[in-house]
Amino acid sequence: MMIIDLGIFLVLWIIILIMFASASCMIFGQLPQFRDFFNALYMYLEYALGNWDTRIYCEFNKVEKGEYLCPVGKIYTTIFLLSNMVLLLNLVVAILS
């Protein structure tokens, strides 16, 4: 039963990673880290594992249409981290019960 729970968790986690990576490619496509879907997916995988840095959104502010990237990027990363944390806590509760 635990293998089934782990499989369900992995499917949900991959769906969330793909969802956030796809949306970030559309929102932050001006940044070099988000021009490719697989780079964005890898970046959000690193974010989920604890290696996150929001300075990449603020380095692009020098371009005229990039002034919204810094606050939106920080909010978007926070939403991703919170949803990832809720999913992981849900897994812990499901395993313990």
Side-chain angles (χ1 to χ4, degrees):
M1 290 303 272
M2 193 164 89
I3 298 294
I4 294 171
D5 290 337
L6 185 63
I8 291 171
F9 164 74
L10 288 176
V11 168
L12 286 174
W13 194 44
I14 289 171
I15 289 171
I16 288 177
L17 282 175
I18 289 173
M19 179 186 71
F20 274 95
S22 298
S24 69
C25 284
M26 290 185 268
I27 297 170
F28 308 112
Q30 301 169 353
L31 297 173
Q33 293 90 347
F34 295 103
R35 288 193 183 133
D36 184 17
F37 171 74
F38 293 107
N39 285 341
L41 187 65
Y42 181 72
M43 200 161 124
Y44 280 103
L45 179 65
E46 283 185 343
Y47 280 7
L49 297 176
N51 186 17
W52 52 275
D53 183 19
T54 58
R55 286 181 284 168
I56 61 166
Y57 302 108
C58 298
E59 293 172 356
F60 199 71
N61 273 343
K62 297 169 184 81
V63 178
E64 58 188 55
K65 292 190 178 180
E67 64 270 356
Y68 72 93
L69 290 179
C70 188
V72 171
K74 289 180 180 181
I75 292 169
Y76 190 78
T77 301
T78 304
I79 291 171
F80 170 74
L81 291 172
L82 286 174
S83 66
N84 191 45
M85 183 180 64
V86 167
L87 185 66
L88 288 174
L89 285 175
N90 192 10
L91 172 71
V92 169
V93 168
I95 287 174
L96 291 177
S97 63

